[in-house]
PDB file of all heavy atoms in Angstrom:
ATOM      1  N   LEU A   1       6.245 -58.707  14.213  1.00 91.00           N
ATOM      2  CA  LEU A   1       5.017 -59.322  13.586  1.00 91.00           C
ATOM      3  C   LEU A   1       3.780 -58.638  14.128  1.00 91.00           C
ATOM      4  O   LEU A   1       2.802 -58.421  13.427  1.00 91.00           O
ATOM      5  CB  LEU A   1       5.002 -60.867  13.785  1.00 91.00           C
ATOM      6  CG  LEU A   1       6.096 -61.648  13.077  1.00 91.00           C
ATOM      7  CD1 LEU A   1       6.019 -63.060  13.581  1.00 91.00           C
ATOM      8  CD2 LEU A   1       5.880 -61.504  11.623  1.00 91.00           C
ATOM      9  N   ARG A   2       3.747 -58.343  15.506  1.00 89.00           N
ATOM     10  CA  ARG A   2       2.665 -57.608  16.069  1.00 89.00           C
ATOM     11  C   ARG A   2       2.458 -56.240  15.397  1.00 89.00           C
ATOM     12  O   ARG A   2       1.405 -55.758  15.140  1.00 89.00           O
ATOM     13  CB  ARG A   2       2.756 -57.451  17.527  1.00 89.00           C
ATOM     14  CG  ARG A   2       2.342 -58.729  18.285  1.00 89.00           C
ATOM     15  CD  ARG A   2       0.974 -59.140  18.067  1.00 89.00           C
ATOM     16  NE  ARG A   2       0.253 -58.866  19.335  1.00 89.00           N
ATOM     17  CZ  ARG A   2      -1.045 -59.087  19.593  1.00 89.00           C
ATOM     18  NH1 ARG A   2      -1.718 -59.811  18.692  1.00 89.00           N
ATOM     19  NH2 ARG A   2      -1.584 -58.776  20.717  1.00 89.00           N
ATOM     20  N   ALA A   3       3.659 -55.566  15.170  1.00 86.00           N
ATOM     21  CA  ALA A   3       3.584 -54.229  14.535  1.00 86.00           C
ATOM     22  C   ALA A   3       3.009 -54.325  13.182  1.00 86.00           C
ATOM     23  O   ALA A   3       2.349 -53.343  12.754  1.00 86.00           O
ATOM     24  CB  ALA A   3       5.012 -53.630  14.507  1.00 86.00           C
ATOM     25  N   GLU A   4       3.137 -55.412  12.542  1.00 83.00           N
ATOM     26  CA  GLU A   4       2.567 -55.622  11.236  1.00 83.00           C
ATOM     27  C   GLU A   4       1.068 -56.039  11.337  1.00 83.00           C
ATOM     28  O   GLU A   4       0.339 -56.090  10.339  1.00 83.00           O
ATOM     29  CB  GLU A   4       3.317 -56.784  10.429  1.00 83.00           C
ATOM     30  CG  GLU A   4       4.665 -56.419  10.065  1.00 83.00           C
ATOM     31  CD  GLU A   4       5.364 -57.565   9.385  1.00 83.00           C
ATOM     32  OE1 GLU A   4       4.796 -58.619   9.269  1.00 83.00           O
ATOM     33  OE2 GLU A   4       6.544 -57.327   8.991  1.00 83.00           O
ATOM     34  N   GLY A   5       0.582 -56.283  12.572  1.00 83.00           N
ATOM     35  CA  GLY A   5      -0.800 -56.591  12.840  1.00 83.00           C
ATOM     36  C   GLY A   5      -1.066 -58.106  12.880  1.00 83.00           C
ATOM     37  O   GLY A   5      -2.271 -58.462  12.911  1.00 83.00           O
ATOM     38  N   MET A   6      -0.123 -58.973  12.778  1.00 87.00           N
ATOM     39  CA  MET A   6      -0.404 -60.373  12.821  1.00 87.00           C
ATOM     40  C   MET A   6      -0.973 -60.764  14.193  1.00 87.00           C
ATOM     41  O   MET A   6      -0.567 -60.315  15.333  1.00 87.00           O
ATOM     42  CB  MET A   6       0.884 -61.179  12.686  1.00 87.00           C
ATOM     43  CG  MET A   6       0.651 -62.658  12.564  1.00 87.00           C
ATOM     44  SD  MET A   6       2.136 -63.638  12.258  1.00 87.00           S
ATOM     45  CE  MET A   6       2.483 -63.358  10.566  1.00 87.00           C
ATOM     46  N   PRO A   7      -2.023 -61.611  14.213  1.00 87.00           N
ATOM     47  CA  PRO A   7      -2.716 -62.022  15.477  1.00 87.00           C
ATOM     48  C   PRO A   7      -1.812 -62.789  16.353  1.00 87.00           C
ATOM     49  O   PRO A   7      -0.939 -63.554  15.838  1.00 87.00           O
ATOM     50  CB  PRO A   7      -3.872 -62.915  15.020  1.00 87.00           C
ATOM     51  CG  PRO A   7      -4.050 -62.491  13.509  1.00 87.00           C
ATOM     52  CD  PRO A   7      -2.698 -62.088  13.034  1.00 87.00           C
ATOM     53  N   ALA A   8      -1.918 -62.608  17.606  1.00 91.00           N
ATOM     54  CA  ALA A   8      -1.109 -63.325  18.607  1.00 91.00           C
ATOM     55  C   ALA A   8      -1.115 -64.838  18.446  1.00 91.00           C
ATOM     56  O   ALA A   8      -0.098 -65.443  18.463  1.00 91.00           O
ATOM     57  CB  ALA A   8      -1.553 -62.915  20.024  1.00 91.00           C
ATOM     58  N   PRO A   9      -2.201 -65.452  18.171  1.00 90.00           N
ATOM     59  CA  PRO A   9      -2.227 -66.976  18.050  1.00 90.00           C
ATOM     60  C   PRO A   9      -1.342 -67.448  16.838  1.00 90.00           C
ATOM     61  O   PRO A   9      -0.647 -68.455  16.925  1.00 90.00           O
ATOM     62  CB  PRO A   9      -3.638 -67.341  17.753  1.00 90.00           C
ATOM     63  CG  PRO A   9      -4.498 -66.234  18.437  1.00 90.00           C
ATOM     64  CD  PRO A   9      -3.652 -64.955  18.208  1.00 90.00           C
ATOM     65  N   TRP A  10      -1.291 -66.638  15.756  1.00 88.00           N
ATOM     66  CA  TRP A  10      -0.422 -66.996  14.654  1.00 88.00           C
ATOM     67  C   TRP A  10       0.999 -66.850  15.003  1.00 88.00           C
ATOM     68  O   TRP A  10       1.854 -67.681  14.665  1.00 88.00           O
ATOM     69  CB  TRP A  10      -0.733 -66.138  13.512  1.00 88.00           C
ATOM     70  CG  TRP A  10      -2.067 -66.385  12.820  1.00 88.00           C
ATOM     71  CD1 TRP A  10      -3.084 -67.093  13.418  1.00 88.00           C
ATOM     72  CD2 TRP A  10      -2.458 -66.088  11.490  1.00 88.00           C
ATOM     73  NE1 TRP A  10      -4.199 -67.116  12.537  1.00 88.00           N
ATOM     74  CE2 TRP A  10      -3.867 -66.513  11.390  1.00 88.00           C
ATOM     75  CE3 TRP A  10      -1.872 -65.441  10.481  1.00 88.00           C
ATOM     76  CZ2 TRP A  10      -4.494 -66.278  10.187  1.00 88.00           C
ATOM     77  CZ3 TRP A  10      -2.601 -65.215   9.339  1.00 88.00           C
ATOM     78  CH2 TRP A  10      -3.907 -65.731   9.185  1.00 88.00           C
ATOM     79  N   ILE A  11       1.329 -65.798  15.698  1.00 93.00           N
ATOM     80  CA  ILE A  11       2.777 -65.541  16.195  1.00 93.00           C
ATOM     81  C   ILE A  11       3.148 -66.591  17.126  1.00 93.00           C
ATOM     82  O   ILE A  11       4.249 -67.214  17.036  1.00 93.00           O
ATOM     83  CB  ILE A  11       2.942 -64.137  16.784  1.00 93.00           C
ATOM     84  CG1 ILE A  11       2.594 -63.088  15.785  1.00 93.00           C
ATOM     85  CG2 ILE A  11       4.320 -64.000  17.339  1.00 93.00           C
ATOM     86  CD1 ILE A  11       2.406 -61.683  16.350  1.00 93.00           C
ATOM     87  N   ALA A  12       2.213 -66.986  17.986  1.00 94.00           N
ATOM     88  CA  ALA A  12       2.455 -67.956  19.010  1.00 94.00           C
ATOM     89  C   ALA A  12       2.767 -69.279  18.323  1.00 94.00           C
ATOM     90  O   ALA A  12       3.739 -70.024  18.714  1.00 94.00           O
ATOM     91  CB  ALA A  12       1.294 -68.150  19.972  1.00 94.00           C
ATOM     92  N   GLU A  13       2.053 -69.632  17.290  1.00 91.00           N
ATOM     93  CA  GLU A  13       2.269 -70.857  16.530  1.00 91.00           C
ATOM     94  C   GLU A  13       3.660 -70.895  15.901  1.00 91.00           C
ATOM     95  O   GLU A  13       4.380 -71.875  15.916  1.00 91.00           O
ATOM     96  CB  GLU A  13       1.192 -70.996  15.523  1.00 91.00           C
ATOM     97  CG  GLU A  13       1.173 -72.263  14.691  1.00 91.00           C
ATOM     98  CD  GLU A  13       0.051 -72.354  13.703  1.00 91.00           C
ATOM     99  OE1 GLU A  13      -1.119 -71.953  14.046  1.00 91.00           O
ATOM    100  OE2 GLU A  13       0.311 -72.814  12.629  1.00 91.00           O
ATOM    101  N   ASP A  14       4.020 -69.712  15.286  1.00 90.00           N
ATOM    102  CA  ASP A  14       5.244 -69.586  14.678  1.00 90.00           C
ATOM    103  C   ASP A  14       6.481 -69.753  15.617  1.00 90.00           C
ATOM    104  O   ASP A  14       7.504 -70.385  15.346  1.00 90.00           O
ATOM    105  CB  ASP A  14       5.395 -68.241  13.943  1.00 90.00           C
ATOM    106  CG  ASP A  14       6.621 -67.983  13.217  1.00 90.00           C
ATOM    107  OD1 ASP A  14       7.095 -68.933  12.535  1.00 90.00           O
ATOM    108  OD2 ASP A  14       7.173 -66.954  13.262  1.00 90.00           O
ATOM    109  N   LEU A  15       6.325 -69.125  16.856  1.00 94.00           N
ATOM    110  CA  LEU A  15       7.379 -69.198  17.783  1.00 94.00           C
ATOM    111  C   LEU A  15       7.344 -70.219  18.838  1.00 94.00           C
ATOM    112  O   LEU A  15       8.240 -70.374  19.636  1.00 94.00           O
ATOM    113  CB  LEU A  15       7.441 -67.796  18.512  1.00 94.00           C
ATOM    114  CG  LEU A  15       7.663 -66.478  17.661  1.00 94.00           C
ATOM    115  CD1 LEU A  15       7.594 -65.292  18.472  1.00 94.00           C
ATOM    116  CD2 LEU A  15       8.965 -66.632  16.930  1.00 94.00           C
ATOM    117  N   GLY A  16       6.274 -71.029  18.847  1.00 93.00           N
ATOM    118  CA  GLY A  16       6.153 -72.070  19.783  1.00 93.00           C
ATOM    119  C   GLY A  16       5.890 -71.649  21.251  1.00 93.00           C
ATOM    120  O   GLY A  16       6.366 -72.217  22.211  1.00 93.00           O
ATOM    121  N   LEU A  17       5.144 -70.541  21.310  1.00 95.00           N
ATOM    122  CA  LEU A  17       4.833 -69.963  22.669  1.00 95.00           C
ATOM    123  C   LEU A  17       3.272 -69.872  22.744  1.00 95.00           C
ATOM    124  O   LEU A  17       2.653 -69.786  21.769  1.00 95.00           O
ATOM    125  CB  LEU A  17       5.446 -68.540  22.709  1.00 95.00           C
ATOM    126  CG  LEU A  17       6.894 -68.507  22.776  1.00 95.00           C
ATOM    127  CD1 LEU A  17       7.384 -67.041  22.560  1.00 95.00           C
ATOM    128  CD2 LEU A  17       7.561 -69.130  23.935  1.00 95.00           C
ATOM    129  N   PRO A  18       2.819 -69.829  23.977  1.00 94.00           N
ATOM    130  CA  PRO A  18       1.345 -69.561  24.143  1.00 94.00           C
ATOM    131  C   PRO A  18       0.916 -68.197  23.704  1.00 94.00           C
ATOM    132  O   PRO A  18       1.693 -67.193  23.865  1.00 94.00           O
ATOM    133  CB  PRO A  18       1.133 -69.709  25.680  1.00 94.00           C
ATOM    134  CG  PRO A  18       2.393 -70.379  26.178  1.00 94.00           C
ATOM    135  CD  PRO A  18       3.449 -70.053  25.266  1.00 94.00           C
ATOM    136  N   PRO A  19      -0.304 -68.056  23.120  1.00 93.00           N
ATOM    137  CA  PRO A  19      -0.774 -66.774  22.679  1.00 93.00           C
ATOM    138  C   PRO A  19      -0.740 -65.711  23.790  1.00 93.00           C
ATOM    139  O   PRO A  19      -0.490 -64.562  23.569  1.00 93.00           O
ATOM    140  CB  PRO A  19      -2.187 -67.026  22.196  1.00 93.00           C
ATOM    141  CG  PRO A  19      -2.096 -68.515  21.813  1.00 93.00           C
ATOM    142  CD  PRO A  19      -1.197 -69.133  22.692  1.00 93.00           C
ATOM    143  N   ALA A  20      -1.030 -66.086  25.070  1.00 93.00           N
ATOM    144  CA  ALA A  20      -1.082 -65.173  26.145  1.00 93.00           C
ATOM    145  C   ALA A  20       0.355 -64.574  26.406  1.00 93.00           C
ATOM    146  O   ALA A  20       0.488 -63.332  26.739  1.00 93.00           O
ATOM    147  CB  ALA A  20      -1.527 -65.822  27.442  1.00 93.00           C
ATOM    148  N   THR A  21       1.374 -65.383  26.151  1.00 94.00           N
ATOM    149  CA  THR A  21       2.761 -64.898  26.278  1.00 94.00           C
ATOM    150  C   THR A  21       3.044 -63.891  25.229  1.00 94.00           C
ATOM    151  O   THR A  21       3.616 -62.793  25.472  1.00 94.00           O
ATOM    152  CB  THR A  21       3.796 -66.058  26.156  1.00 94.00           C
ATOM    153  OG1 THR A  21       3.464 -66.954  27.235  1.00 94.00           O
ATOM    154  CG2 THR A  21       5.148 -65.494  26.245  1.00 94.00           C
ATOM    155  N   ILE A  22       2.555 -64.064  23.927  1.00 95.00           N
ATOM    156  CA  ILE A  22       2.753 -63.152  22.906  1.00 95.00           C
ATOM    157  C   ILE A  22       2.082 -61.785  23.243  1.00 95.00           C
ATOM    158  O   ILE A  22       2.622 -60.759  23.071  1.00 95.00           O
ATOM    159  CB  ILE A  22       2.259 -63.713  21.564  1.00 95.00           C
ATOM    160  CG1 ILE A  22       2.987 -64.984  21.140  1.00 95.00           C
ATOM    161  CG2 ILE A  22       2.288 -62.686  20.419  1.00 95.00           C
ATOM    162  CD1 ILE A  22       4.482 -64.849  20.987  1.00 95.00           C
ATOM    163  N   ARG A  23       0.821 -61.903  23.708  1.00 93.00           N
ATOM    164  CA  ARG A  23       0.032 -60.683  24.091  1.00 93.00           C
ATOM    165  C   ARG A  23       0.787 -59.917  25.208  1.00 93.00           C
ATOM    166  O   ARG A  23       0.751 -58.693  25.193  1.00 93.00           O
ATOM    167  CB  ARG A  23      -1.305 -61.035  24.505  1.00 93.00           C
ATOM    168  CG  ARG A  23      -2.188 -61.537  23.403  1.00 93.00           C
ATOM    169  CD  ARG A  23      -3.652 -61.861  23.825  1.00 93.00           C
ATOM    170  NE  ARG A  23      -4.344 -62.529  22.779  1.00 93.00           N
ATOM    171  CZ  ARG A  23      -4.556 -63.854  22.732  1.00 93.00           C
ATOM    172  NH1 ARG A  23      -4.106 -64.547  23.765  1.00 93.00           N
ATOM    173  NH2 ARG A  23      -5.232 -64.368  21.780  1.00 93.00           N
ATOM    174  N   ARG A  24       1.477 -60.606  26.071  1.00 93.00           N
ATOM    175  CA  ARG A  24       2.216 -59.953  27.172  1.00 93.00           C
ATOM    176  C   ARG A  24       3.480 -59.352  26.710  1.00 93.00           C
ATOM    177  O   ARG A  24       3.781 -58.156  27.062  1.00 93.00           O
ATOM    178  CB  ARG A  24       2.481 -60.960  28.235  1.00 93.00           C
ATOM    179  CG  ARG A  24       2.754 -60.358  29.560  1.00 93.00           C
ATOM    180  CD  ARG A  24       2.789 -61.340  30.773  1.00 93.00           C
ATOM    181  NE  ARG A  24       3.196 -62.696  30.515  1.00 93.00           N
ATOM    182  CZ  ARG A  24       2.373 -63.709  30.317  1.00 93.00           C
ATOM    183  NH1 ARG A  24       1.118 -63.562  30.424  1.00 93.00           N
ATOM    184  NH2 ARG A  24       2.906 -64.979  30.087  1.00 93.00           N
ATOM    185  N   ILE A  25       4.217 -60.015  25.779  1.00 94.00           N
ATOM    186  CA  ILE A  25       5.535 -59.449  25.399  1.00 94.00           C
ATOM    187  C   ILE A  25       5.413 -58.466  24.167  1.00 94.00           C
ATOM    188  O   ILE A  25       6.323 -57.693  23.942  1.00 94.00           O
ATOM    189  CB  ILE A  25       6.581 -60.523  25.053  1.00 94.00           C
ATOM    190  CG1 ILE A  25       6.136 -61.398  23.868  1.00 94.00           C
ATOM    191  CG2 ILE A  25       6.798 -61.322  26.306  1.00 94.00           C
ATOM    192  CD1 ILE A  25       7.188 -62.386  23.458  1.00 94.00           C
ATOM    193  N   ALA A  26       4.277 -58.548  23.496  1.00 93.00           N
ATOM    194  CA  ALA A  26       4.121 -57.723  22.266  1.00 93.00           C
ATOM    195  C   ALA A  26       2.692 -57.292  22.130  1.00 93.00           C
ATOM    196  O   ALA A  26       1.953 -57.986  21.418  1.00 93.00           O
ATOM    197  CB  ALA A  26       4.627 -58.468  21.010  1.00 93.00           C
ATOM    198  N   PRO A  27       2.307 -56.220  22.878  1.00 90.00           N
ATOM    199  CA  PRO A  27       0.898 -55.760  22.725  1.00 90.00           C
ATOM    200  C   PRO A  27       0.478 -55.400  21.252  1.00 90.00           C
ATOM    201  O   PRO A  27       1.323 -55.059  20.469  1.00 90.00           O
ATOM    202  CB  PRO A  27       0.857 -54.511  23.621  1.00 90.00           C
ATOM    203  CG  PRO A  27       2.106 -54.602  24.421  1.00 90.00           C
ATOM    204  CD  PRO A  27       3.084 -55.346  23.674  1.00 90.00           C
ATOM    205  N   ALA A  28      -0.783 -55.587  21.020  1.00 86.00           N
ATOM    206  CA  ALA A  28      -1.327 -55.299  19.683  1.00 86.00           C
ATOM    207  C   ALA A  28      -1.246 -53.836  19.349  1.00 86.00           C
ATOM    208  O   ALA A  28      -1.376 -52.983  20.127  1.00 86.00           O
ATOM    209  CB  ALA A  28      -2.744 -55.837  19.639  1.00 86.00           C
ATOM    210  N   ASP A  29      -1.116 -53.593  17.981  1.00 82.00           N
ATOM    211  CA  ASP A  29      -1.159 -52.320  17.455  1.00 82.00           C
ATOM    212  C   ASP A  29      -2.417 -52.239  16.626  1.00 82.00           C
ATOM    213  O   ASP A  29      -2.605 -52.903  15.561  1.00 82.00           O
ATOM    214  CB  ASP A  29       0.077 -52.041  16.505  1.00 82.00           C
ATOM    215  CG  ASP A  29      -0.066 -50.830  15.637  1.00 82.00           C
ATOM    216  OD1 ASP A  29      -0.522 -49.796  16.221  1.00 82.00           O
ATOM    217  OD2 ASP A  29       0.241 -50.804  14.519  1.00 82.00           O
ATOM    218  N   PRO A  30      -3.387 -51.396  17.055  1.00 84.00           N
ATOM    219  CA  PRO A  30      -4.714 -51.344  16.358  1.00 84.00           C
ATOM    220  C   PRO A  30      -4.662 -51.070  14.890  1.00 84.00           C
ATOM    221  O   PRO A  30      -5.327 -51.774  14.098  1.00 84.00           O
ATOM    222  CB  PRO A  30      -5.501 -50.300  17.097  1.00 84.00           C
ATOM    223  CG  PRO A  30      -4.867 -50.161  18.457  1.00 84.00           C
ATOM    224  CD  PRO A  30      -3.430 -50.541  18.224  1.00 84.00           C
ATOM    225  N   GLU A  31      -3.829 -50.163  14.473  1.00 84.00           N
ATOM    226  CA  GLU A  31      -3.680 -49.899  13.039  1.00 84.00           C
ATOM    227  C   GLU A  31      -3.079 -51.030  12.268  1.00 84.00           C
ATOM    228  O   GLU A  31      -3.465 -51.405  11.131  1.00 84.00           O
ATOM    229  CB  GLU A  31      -2.877 -48.579  12.799  1.00 84.00           C
ATOM    230  CG  GLU A  31      -2.808 -48.226  11.364  1.00 84.00           C
ATOM    231  CD  GLU A  31      -4.169 -48.072  10.653  1.00 84.00           C
ATOM    232  OE1 GLU A  31      -5.065 -47.562  11.197  1.00 84.00           O
ATOM    233  OE2 GLU A  31      -4.206 -48.509   9.444  1.00 84.00           O
ATOM    234  N   GLY A  32      -2.039 -51.695  12.893  1.00 78.00           N
ATOM    235  CA  GLY A  32      -1.438 -52.828  12.249  1.00 78.00           C
ATOM    236  C   GLY A  32      -2.357 -53.958  12.150  1.00 78.00           C
ATOM    237  O   GLY A  32      -2.423 -54.681  11.143  1.00 78.00           O
ATOM    238  N   GLN A  33      -3.317 -54.105  13.167  1.00 80.00           N
ATOM    239  CA  GLN A  33      -4.295 -55.167  13.142  1.00 80.00           C
ATOM    240  C   GLN A  33      -5.317 -54.974  11.934  1.00 80.00           C
ATOM    241  O   GLN A  33      -5.646 -55.895  11.226  1.00 80.00           O
ATOM    242  CB  GLN A  33      -5.121 -55.266  14.420  1.00 80.00           C
ATOM    243  CG  GLN A  33      -4.246 -55.912  15.518  1.00 80.00           C
ATOM    244  CD  GLN A  33      -5.133 -56.089  16.769  1.00 80.00           C
ATOM    245  OE1 GLN A  33      -5.783 -55.125  17.169  1.00 80.00           O
ATOM    246  NE2 GLN A  33      -5.203 -57.249  17.336  1.00 80.00           N
ATOM    247  N   ARG A  34      -5.751 -53.691  11.695  1.00 85.00           N
ATOM    248  CA  ARG A  34      -6.621 -53.380  10.665  1.00 85.00           C
ATOM    249  C   ARG A  34      -5.930 -53.710   9.318  1.00 85.00           C
ATOM    250  O   ARG A  34      -6.638 -54.302   8.453  1.00 85.00           O
ATOM    251  CB  ARG A  34      -6.999 -51.942  10.729  1.00 85.00           C
ATOM    252  CG  ARG A  34      -8.106 -51.631  11.757  1.00 85.00           C
ATOM    253  CD  ARG A  34      -8.690 -50.267  11.594  1.00 85.00           C
ATOM    254  NE  ARG A  34      -7.739 -49.275  12.034  1.00 85.00           N
ATOM    255  CZ  ARG A  34      -7.624 -48.864  13.385  1.00 85.00           C
ATOM    256  NH1 ARG A  34      -8.251 -49.519  14.308  1.00 85.00           N
ATOM    257  NH2 ARG A  34      -6.772 -47.880  13.566  1.00 85.00           N
ATOM    258  N   GLU A  35      -4.692 -53.321   9.138  1.00 85.00           N
ATOM    259  CA  GLU A  35      -4.009 -53.581   7.906  1.00 85.00           C
ATOM    260  C   GLU A  35      -3.821 -55.110   7.676  1.00 85.00           C
ATOM    261  O   GLU A  35      -4.023 -55.585   6.566  1.00 85.00           O
ATOM    262  CB  GLU A  35      -2.598 -52.925   7.859  1.00 85.00           C
ATOM    263  CG  GLU A  35      -1.844 -53.181   6.605  1.00 85.00           C
ATOM    264  CD  GLU A  35      -2.586 -52.750   5.320  1.00 85.00           C
ATOM    265  OE1 GLU A  35      -3.355 -51.797   5.377  1.00 85.00           O
ATOM    266  OE2 GLU A  35      -2.460 -53.464   4.357  1.00 85.00           O
ATOM    267  N   TRP A  36      -3.567 -55.861   8.716  1.00 82.00           N
ATOM    268  CA  TRP A  36      -3.406 -57.313   8.676  1.00 82.00           C
ATOM    269  C   TRP A  36      -4.727 -57.881   8.172  1.00 82.00           C
ATOM    270  O   TRP A  36      -4.731 -58.805   7.305  1.00 82.00           O
ATOM    271  CB  TRP A  36      -2.917 -57.871  10.079  1.00 82.00           C
ATOM    272  CG  TRP A  36      -2.827 -59.402   9.935  1.00 82.00           C
ATOM    273  CD1 TRP A  36      -3.805 -60.271  10.270  1.00 82.00           C
ATOM    274  CD2 TRP A  36      -1.765 -60.113   9.288  1.00 82.00           C
ATOM    275  NE1 TRP A  36      -3.335 -61.549  10.015  1.00 82.00           N
ATOM    276  CE2 TRP A  36      -2.117 -61.495   9.412  1.00 82.00           C
ATOM    277  CE3 TRP A  36      -0.621 -59.803   8.727  1.00 82.00           C
ATOM    278  CZ2 TRP A  36      -1.319 -62.483   8.903  1.00 82.00           C
ATOM    279  CZ3 TRP A  36       0.265 -60.797   8.278  1.00 82.00           C
ATOM    280  CH2 TRP A  36      -0.146 -62.167   8.361  1.00 82.00           C
ATOM    281  N   LEU A  37      -5.869 -57.475   8.857  1.00 85.00           N
ATOM    282  CA  LEU A  37      -7.169 -58.038   8.404  1.00 85.00           C
ATOM    283  C   LEU A  37      -7.451 -57.763   6.939  1.00 85.00           C
ATOM    284  O   LEU A  37      -8.006 -58.630   6.310  1.00 85.00           O
ATOM    285  CB  LEU A  37      -8.239 -57.482   9.322  1.00 85.00           C
ATOM    286  CG  LEU A  37      -8.186 -58.018  10.777  1.00 85.00           C
ATOM    287  CD1 LEU A  37      -9.195 -57.292  11.611  1.00 85.00           C
ATOM    288  CD2 LEU A  37      -8.424 -59.503  10.791  1.00 85.00           C
TER     289      LEU A  37
END
């Protein structure tokens, strides 16, 4: 999901984990973030 650019808080909500954990286990991809936006 991060590779697709989905924001960490959305992934966290989906997986039931804190956003900080998502940011730690799956760093953001800037190009993916632009496409997601």
Side-chain angles (χ1 to χ4, degrees):
L1 294 173
R2 281 296 256 186
E4 293 176 359
M6 185 179 284
W10 290 20
I11 299 168
E13 185 178 320
D14 182 41
L15 298 178
L17 296 169
T21 300
I22 299 301
R23 289 184 190 99
R24 199 168 33 257
I25 64 174
D29 169 41
E31 182 54 39
Q33 283 183 310
R34 281 190 288 279
E35 180 57 34
W36 178 262
L37 290 173

